[in-house]
Amino acid sequence: MSDDTLAKDTDVTVAPQRAGRHRSGPSAAPAGGGGRDRYLDMLRCVALVRVVTYHAFVWPWLSLVFPSMGVMFALAGSLMARSLDRPALSVLRGRLRRLLPPLWLFGAVIALAMMLKGWAPEEHQVGRWWARMLLWVVPVADPPHSAWGFEATEILWYLRTYLWFVLLSPLLLWAFRRAPAAVLCLSAVPIVVFTTVWTVPEGQAGTVLLDLATYLACWMAGFAHRDGLLDRLRPALAVSCAALAMAVGGWWAFGHRVDGSYDLNEIPPAQAFWSVGFVLLLLRFRPRLDGPARIRALDRLVVVCNSRAITIYLWHQTALILSVPAIDHLWHVRAFELSLPLGSMWFQFGVAWMLIAVAVALFGWVEDLAAKREPRLLPSR
């Protein structure tokens, strides 16, 4: 996830995905240019919508049609490389400043709700329990949660992974710029090693390593985009490399199904290869967006999604959860029962987006403060 945190220039690149373990966290400008890039903004907006759609319907094929998380990590990597043209320490401070305050607000609301629902430490583990709560302040591992709050907090894996990529980026970019092609190719090696040669340890450390390995190639593809390496690739070579990566990912997905499903979010190596191949195509071949840009409503939607990417990502799962009791109340109104498709998943999807809009109105201003902008209900640009 728009990411000064989900991957925007202010930075964020959002997107999740795990649902019960599913994972699923402007004018056109050249890759190295300044200002907003309408194409990257559009990709981020599509990725966010796809994340919410996946968590609503859990359709496995969505992970193949548009691997949102890989796209968002690639966009974040590109923006991080651009930012690191400045001193690294100031860049890291800026990224953390934009990422953490929205998370703190989310954590305060969700943690309080979990406590009101009875979440508390065991008597002999009070100190350890409160110490682990520090992960809500700096999520270098998944913050603690209750069983009741699991669905709302499972999406935080994306922000945790994004945070680690940000912290590692000065070193990763240093290595990449000394041997770009070699480092980009080798970035797919860790996920292969972790799933065929050496099994990552159980627990939080293993989860962190596996997620980093899964999306490392996409992050490095973002570096390649920023530095112009992808633009210098001949179209035939770019298509060949992307097709090879996606072929490996597709072969791995259909040959290593989990519970009969080819959902890439459950198969890390398949996710890694399919996503990086998809990303190479998206970032190498950039269509002109003059037509969509002239559609005022669409352009406005893209602006809002990018300016509120962290908020949308953080609260979308909670909105999906709350849409269920909200619709349950509508069943008690005879007029609504007779005239509305209350049992339709598409209706729930619509209600969830209305609740996401409420979350944006209530909490989105924190992103403005974090970016040192004047707080607004909705950004205009």
Side-chain angles (χ1 to χ4, degrees), residues 175-233:
F176 174 80
R177 286 180 171 166
R178 274 148 186 78
V183 171
L184 179 58
C185 292
L186 290 173
S187 61
V189 170
I191 189 60
V192 175
V193 171
F194 288 165
T195 51
T196 61
V197 178
W198 181 71
T199 303
V200 295
E202 297 286 337
Q204 290 268 30
T207 300
V208 169
L209 284 174
L210 188 61
D211 287 340
L212 287 171
T214 300
Y215 295 102
L216 177 61
C218 290
W219 191 268
M220 304 304 282
F223 287 177
H225 168 256
R226 158 60 190 172
D227 284 4
L229 177 62
L230 299 186
D231 290 337
R232 294 194 296 272
L233 282 180

Side-chain angles (χ1 to χ4, degrees), residues 57-377:
F57 298 98
V58 199
W59 290 327
W61 54 266
L62 277 177
S63 64
L64 293 168
V65 171
F66 195 89
S68 285
M69 305 319 298
V71 171
M72 291 192 289
F73 279 116
L75 298 180
S78 178
L79 292 168
M80 190 67 188
R82 179 172 72 173
S83 296
L84 283 172
D85 290 339
R86 307 192 303 271
L89 188 58
S90 66
V91 172
L92 295 181
R93 281 200 304 263
R95 289 295 185 279
L96 294 178
R97 189 188 68 242
R98 291 188 177 110
L99 169 66
L100 296 179
L103 173 65
W104 294 339
L105 178 58
F106 175 80
V109 173
I110 297 299
L112 178 60
M114 290 190 292
M115 291 178 190
L116 292 175
K117 282 288 187 176
W119 186 44
E122 301 290 337
E123 289 187 11
H124 59 287
Q125 292 185 337
V126 174
R128 183 171 179 269
W129 189 81
W130 282 107
R132 291 190 67 240
M133 292 293 283
L134 293 175
L135 291 173
W136 280 103
V137 180
V138 182
V140 292
D142 293 331
H145 55 77
S146 66
W148 177 83
F150 169 72
E151 287 190 40
T153 61
E154 62 179 345
I155 50 91
L156 295 177
W157 75 268
Y158 169 77
L159 298 188
R160 177 252 297 156
T161 305
Y162 172 83
L163 174 61
W164 274 109
F165 274 133
V166 166
L167 296 176
L168 293 171
S169 279
L171 177 61
L172 292 175
L173 188 59
W174 175 87
F176 174 80
R177 286 180 171 166
R178 274 148 186 78
V183 171
L184 179 58
C185 292
L186 290 173
S187 61
V189 170
I191 189 60
V192 175
V193 171
F194 288 165
T195 51
T196 61
V197 178
W198 181 71
T199 303
V200 295
E202 297 286 337
Q204 290 268 30
T207 300
V208 169
L209 284 174
L210 188 61
D211 287 340
L212 287 171
T214 300
Y215 295 102
L216 177 61
C218 290
W219 191 268
M220 304 304 282
F223 287 177
H225 168 256
R226 158 60 190 172
D227 284 4
L229 177 62
L230 299 186
D231 290 337
R232 294 194 296 272
L233 282 180
R234 293 181 179 179
L237 180 58
V239 170
S240 298
C241 291
L244 177 60
M246 295 176 73
V248 172
W251 167 78
W252 205 306
F254 285 89
H256 301 78
R257 300 189 188 194
V258 175
D259 297 329
S261 174
Y262 55 83
D263 191 334
L264 299 184
N265 299 299
E266 302 295 335
I267 313 169
Q271 177 78 279
F273 283 97
W274 184 271
S275 294
V276 75
F278 199 92
V279 160
L280 289 176
L281 293 177
L282 286 180
L283 297 183
R284 174 60 182 82
F285 303 100
R286 300 162 54 87
R288 293 183 62 86
L289 296 177
D290 295 340
R294 286 194 291 266
I295 304 174
R296 187 175 181 82
L298 179 58
D299 189 58
R300 175 71 166 154
L301 175 64
V302 171
V303 170
V304 172
C305 280
N306 279 271
S307 297
R308 296 292 183 261
I310 306 176
T311 301
I312 293 171
Y313 182 79
L314 282 172
W315 291 97
H316 81 273
Q317 187 80 322
T318 303
L320 285 166
I321 295 167
L322 293 179
S323 66
V324 175
I327 293 173
D328 285 344
H329 285 296
L330 296 180
W331 281 102
H332 299 298
V333 181
R334 183 64 174 167
F336 293 157
E337 180 185 358
L338 293 175
S339 57
L340 296 177
L342 300 181
S344 168
M345 276 300 301
W346 284 102
F347 184 78
Q348 181 187 352
F349 186 60
V351 171
W353 274 107
M354 288 189 281
L355 293 175
I356 290 171
V358 172
V360 167
L362 290 176
F363 308 122
W365 54 271
V366 177
E367 292 196 60
D368 289 330
L369 290 181
K372 296 185 176 180
R373 297 189 299 258
E374 179 183 353
R376 295 184 179 183
L377 182 63

